[in-house]
Amino acid sequence: MNPANGTSSVTKFILLGFPSLSRLGRDLACALLSFIYAGTLAGNLSTVWAMLRDSRLQRLPMYILLGNFAWLEVGYVTTTVPRMLFDLMNPGVPISFHACFVQFYIFFSMGATECFLLAAMALDRYLAICHPLRYPVLMSPHSSWVLVASCWLAGFLWFIGPVALISQLSFCGPNTLDYFVCDPDPLLAASCTPAPCTRQTSSTMSYLLLFTTFLFILTSYGLVIRAVLRLPAGAGRHKAFSTCTSHLAIVGLFYGSLLGASVTSGKVVTLFYMVGTPFLNPLIYSLRNKEMKEALRRTLLGGR
């Protein structure tokens, strides 16, 4: 925005984060956040590395999806955590208008892509269990990559409209955002121009994405459960359920924390789904998966 043409008088924002923290509290929060960030990078990059180095995993749709999901988590936290660490160590240092909106766009696009990828993973489990004979054709490696590319494309197109609308608002001060990332709610609160249509558009796009993908996942697993319950009790039923539990745990963690953040509007709950879930996901998915553990052992530890 150009102040000279009267569209805005604010060119920088200050992310307040957690202003009530003492110096010791900021140091402890910085140390904890650094540990979580490092663990998130290590866990998810290990999954990506194993998938890239193991030719067998590259041919399996579930691991194509999982590798992309892990890479997404790396980008998701890298968009926000380094700036959060900087603000904890240097409170009051502003972020430029353009950097703020770039972070806003990338962060929300990554979140949208995560919703689509979780839905794609549910589709994969549905086809594998409910249509096992057609599964190799329906979810071939080529089809899997097309599905993954569609998730990334849809995710990065979904919030273009809301970001563009909010960026056109006038911000005439104060330039403080009572948050730790550039988020639509504090940005709309900082605008000096009433924008009910922009607020409604942003909320509608967010809730439409969340509810449609969550409903799709629930429907897919409802059909999966119905199919599994028709199997004879024993190893077959247990194996079918075991392939779904990790994904369901990640879905519950992601959507549960999002719902908690939207209901409570609390910074701590929001912080958990922003940095906590990407940290836990490789522990839930990769370390409980026998094939992934064996691939990690071969590629990272030189095991045979």
Side-chain angles (χ1 to χ4, degrees):
M1 304 286 280
N2 184 1
N5 59 22
T7 58
S8 175
S9 58
V10 170
T11 59
K12 295 180 180 180
F13 296 105
I14 295 175
L15 298 172
L16 294 180
F18 296 91
S20 60
L21 285 178
S22 64
R23 179 64 192 180
L24 177 60
R26 289 200 302 271
D27 290 341
L28 291 174
C30 188
L32 178 61
L33 196 59
S34 297
F35 171 78
I36 293 174
Y37 182 52
T40 301
L41 293 183
N44 286 287
L45 287 176
S46 295
T47 300
V48 174
W49 177 256
M51 186 265 185
L52 292 175
R53 297 286 294 178
D54 193 298
S55 58
R56 183 173 179 274
L57 296 186
Q58 294 172 19
R59 296 191 297 270
L60 298 175
M62 179 168 53
Y63 295 100
I64 294 173
L65 291 165
L66 182 57
N68 276 270
F69 187 77
W71 181 247
L72 172 75
E73 297 290 51
V74 172
Y76 194 66
V77 295
T78 302
T79 304
T80 56
V81 173
R83 179 69 206 195
M84 291 167 61
L85 290 171
F86 178 82
D87 289 333
L88 282 169
M89 294 183 290
N90 305 277
V93 177
I95 182 173
S96 72
F97 182 94
H98 292 97
C100 184
F101 274 88
V102 167
Q103 184 194 63
F104 171 23
Y105 171 67
I106 295 178
F107 176 65
F108 272 75
S109 296
M110 290 281 186
T113 304
E114 182 157 355
C115 291
F116 289 124
L117 277 176
L118 287 173
M121 293 163 84
L123 174 64
D124 173 72
R125 292 298 85 204
Y126 163 74
L127 293 175
I129 293 172
C130 297
H131 301 280
L133 298 180
R134 299 172 60 196
Y135 178 73
V137 176
L138 294 173
M139 285 296 288
S140 65
H142 174 74
S143 299
S144 301
W145 280 109
V146 170
L147 181 61
V148 164
S150 300
C151 291
W152 282 96
L153 180 62
F156 275 80
L157 290 176
W158 191 264
F159 281 106
I160 285 180
V163 172
L165 288 173
I166 296 174
S167 70
Q168 297 303 310
L169 297 177
S170 298
F171 299 92
C172 44
N175 67 335
T176 54
L177 303 180
D178 189 15
Y179 222 57
F180 38 79
V181 294
C182 292
D183 188 83
D185 286 339
L187 284 168
L188 287 167
S191 172
C192 54
T193 305
C197 291
T198 299
R199 183 182 295 273
Q200 185 63 39
T201 300
S202 178
S203 298
T204 300
M205 295 297 289
S206 296
Y207 286 116
L208 180 64
L209 172 69
L210 292 175
F211 284 118
T212 53
T213 54
F214 189 55
L215 181 61
F216 180 86
I217 292 169
L218 287 182
T219 302
S220 298
Y221 276 105
L223 295 172
V224 166
I225 291 171
R226 187 180 69 173
V228 171
L229 291 178
R230 291 177 177 174
L231 297 174
R237 183 182 293 184
H238 174 74
K239 182 179 179 180
F241 271 127
S242 66
T243 62
C244 301
T245 52
S246 296
H247 182 238
L248 283 173
I250 291 175
V251 168
L253 197 63
F254 179 73
Y255 284 96
S257 57
L258 272 178
L259 179 62
S262 63
V263 171
T264 64
S265 299
K267 292 181 181 179
V268 175
V269 179
T270 304
L271 188 64
F272 175 77
Y273 91 77
M274 285 175 52
V275 299
T277 53
F279 174 73
L280 295 173
N281 285 346
L283 301 176
I284 295 172
Y285 220 126
S286 300
L287 296 184
R288 295 185 68 241
N289 185 292
K290 182 180 178 181
E291 289 180 315
M292 181 58 71
K293 285 191 289 187
E294 290 177 352
L296 287 171
R297 188 180 301 112
R298 287 194 301 269
T299 58
L300 297 178
L301 303 179
R304 302 259 179 205

